[in-house]
Amino acid sequence: METDDTGNRLRFQLELEFVQCLANPNYLNFLAQRGYFKDKSFVNYLKYLLYWKEPEYAKYLKYPQCLHMLELLQYEHFRKELVNAQCAKFIDEQQILHWQHYSRKRMRLQQALAEQQQQNNTSVK
Amino acid sequence: ELIEILAISRNQKLPQPGEESQILELLIQRDGEFQELMKLALDQGKIHHEMQLLEKVVEKRDSDIQQLQKQLKEAEHILATAVYQAKEKLKSIEKARKGAISSEEIIKYAHRISASNAVCAPLTWVPGDPRRPYPTDLEMRSGLLGQMNNPSTNGVNGHLPGDALAAGRLPDVLAPQYPWQSSDISMNMLPPNHSNDFMLEPPGHNKENEDDVEVMSTDSSSSSSDSD
């Protein structure tokens, strides 16, 4: 019973790590080029991994964006496209840009605030 | 009048007494019948009048019933709408209750994913910074998955392990803590356990949008999914 439990815990940790690796588009490109996406049992495994969408499992994810990639991976068309390096690069760029979204927004707000203060100062004078 | 004429003619024509009495009797008979018919006509007239009154009453009742019917239909419509909306509300209440998470948990989770810059870039990020919104090559290798197999390729990410910046950073472990070590996880929490192999195709496997397909098990075949 104990070995069963440890086995399950190990499996949990491995699957947790693996599902989050799917957030890395370069890794996905890597998998696609080595033909993993053509393997039916691998595709079944990807479908099985969808259980991470449940809230009681999702709370362990550090990179929840991997779930979106997992959903996209259910589509054969997406899996086929990932063989292209440009596709992976595009996804990578978009991901990074999106990642920076809030910091850019905050910078813009700060800039706007600074400009406003400057205007107030000049008008007071 | 006829009787008078007959009376006069009777005075004038004596030799026909038998016929006259017969005719008189006939007349009387006819008169009687006529009187009766008159009475009948009167009665019928009364009945006809009554019928007309009753018809009017019936018409009134009919219109009352139709009015009532309209009102009942309206009421039914209003009630049906109300019931429908109430049902929808109940459904959404049920849904909300199902998805209820304590605000503390949500805040904790939000803190966890933001503090590690997993979902929001660090404010000092510039191009060239090796940090990414996904586990990098280095992180993948240093996790449990990476330890299980010998790494044979370089830089999946384009970040070579010899990258000075990367080497300076402590490898990020993917799982934030190890809650299973504090026995938070009961057997329910572990990944769905199955008995079949991944090699078996679930029914309807070829359809891209199939959601309700049975999932297959891991066992030893899951090791084929590990990257090398």
Side-chain angles (χ1 to χ4, degrees):
Chain A
M1 278 305 165
E2 269 191 23
T3 47
D4 211 21
D5 207 27
T6 15
N8 276 326
R9 286 177 171 183
L10 188 66
R11 185 156 74 94
F12 181 84
Q13 196 179 354
L14 287 174
E15 289 181 2
L16 175 66
E17 288 190 11
F18 181 70
V19 81
Q20 288 182 113
C21 288
L22 296 178
N24 186 335
N26 300 301
Y27 181 58
L28 293 179
N29 182 37
F30 173 86
L31 289 176
Q33 286 181 342
R34 275 153 187 75
Y36 281 99
F37 292 153
K38 294 186 187 148
D39 185 8
K40 277 191 183 136
S41 55
F42 188 79
V43 175
N44 290 352
Y45 183 64
L46 289 175
K47 195 175 277 182
Y48 154 76
L49 283 176
L50 283 170
Y51 75 85
W52 284 101
K53 284 170 73 172
E54 301 294 315
E56 55 268 17
Y57 288 105
K59 67 181 181 190
Y60 294 105
L61 294 173
K62 191 173 153 199
Y63 298 97
Q65 49 273 49
C66 69
L67 289 177
H68 181 64
M69 301 303 268
L70 183 64
E71 277 171 23
L72 287 177
L73 279 170
Q74 304 301 316
Y75 295 95
E76 194 183 335
H77 188 72
F78 183 70
R79 296 195 293 267
K80 282 197 181 139
E81 283 297 308
L82 275 172
V83 178
N84 300 333
Q86 297 119 323
C87 175
K89 189 159 176 286
F90 174 73
I91 296 177
D92 190 26
E93 282 170 5
Q94 294 298 308
Q95 240 180 320
I96 293 176
L97 284 171
H98 177 265
W99 188 49
Q100 297 172 324
H101 173 72
Y102 281 111
S103 31
R104 266 187 279 126
K105 195 170 164 182
R106 202 180 297 173
M107 271 197 311
R108 275 202 293 261
L109 271 174
Q110 280 178 342
Q111 271 177 0
L113 202 64
E115 274 171 30
Q116 220 183 21
Q117 277 182 347
Q118 265 190 358
Q119 277 180 3
N120 286 343
N121 288 342
T122 48
S123 63
V124 163
K125 285 176 189 171
Chain B
E1 267 189 26
L2 272 170
I3 296 171
E4 281 178 6
I5 293 171
L6 271 172
I8 294 169
S9 68
R10 190 179 165 216
N11 289 336
Q12 293 172 351
K13 295 175 185 176
L14 286 168
Q16 297 166 348
E19 281 184 18
E20 287 167 3
S21 59
Q22 260 185 12
I23 290 172
L24 266 175
E25 277 176 28
L26 268 172
L27 259 176
I28 291 167
Q29 217 184 4
R30 288 282 183 267
D31 187 52
E33 285 171 16
F34 188 62
Q35 295 294 333
E36 276 178 32
L37 279 174
M38 285 286 288
K39 267 193 225 157
L40 197 61
L42 256 175
D43 284 339
Q44 281 182 346
K46 278 190 210 151
I47 290 174
H48 184 72
H49 184 66
E50 265 181 47
M51 271 173 59
Q52 278 182 334
L53 283 174
L54 283 173
E55 264 179 28
K56 279 204 193 115
V57 170
V58 163
E59 261 179 48
K60 185 161 185 307
R61 292 276 190 262
D62 265 344
S63 72
D64 281 347
I65 289 175
Q66 275 181 355
Q67 181 80 337
L68 199 60
Q69 190 185 28
K70 249 191 254 172
Q71 286 176 341
L72 281 172
K73 261 204 183 134
E74 252 183 70
E76 190 214 349
H77 180 73
I78 293 174
L79 284 172
T81 325
V83 162
Y84 173 74
Q85 284 180 350
K87 276 194 185 147
E88 293 292 303
K89 273 227 169 84
L90 279 173
K91 257 191 244 173
S92 63
I93 289 175
E94 192 54 52
K95 204 169 159 195
R97 202 180 295 153
K98 255 199 299 185
I101 306 178
S102 77
S103 55
E104 203 181 294
E105 234 184 275
I106 295 184
I107 294 175
K108 267 194 220 164
Y109 185 68
H111 183 73
R112 199 159 62 174
I113 57 179
S114 340
S116 54
N117 292 316
V119 291
C120 186
L123 291 170
T124 55
W125 199 88
V126 286
D129 192 323
R131 291 175 288 185
R132 287 288 184 273
Y134 41 75
T136 55
D137 194 37
L138 199 66
E139 291 166 8
M140 291 199 293
R141 286 183 211 290
S142 50
L144 192 61
L145 215 52
Q147 302 299 324
M148 282 182 60
N149 303 305
N150 294 325
S152 58
T153 58
N154 335 315
V156 166
N157 245 4
H159 294 297
L160 300 174
D163 188 343
L165 267 172
R169 280 167 49 85
L170 285 173
D172 252 346
V173 184
L174 296 173
Q177 292 111 17
Y178 293 82
W180 47 84
Q181 288 178 353
S182 57
S183 68
D184 268 8
I185 306 177
S186 62
M187 284 304 282
N188 300 338
M189 282 306 303
L190 295 166
N193 218 339
H194 313 282
S195 52
N196 298 324
D197 200 356
F198 273 111
M199 291 303 293
L200 291 175
E201 275 193 39
H205 162 73
N206 290 327
K207 287 190 194 158
E208 290 182 341
N209 290 332
E210 197 71 77
D211 273 341
D212 51 354
V213 170
E214 271 183 41
V215 210
M216 296 298 155
S217 81
T218 62
D219 283 329
S220 56
S221 59
S222 66
S223 60
S224 69
S225 67
D226 289 350
S227 71
D228 58 347

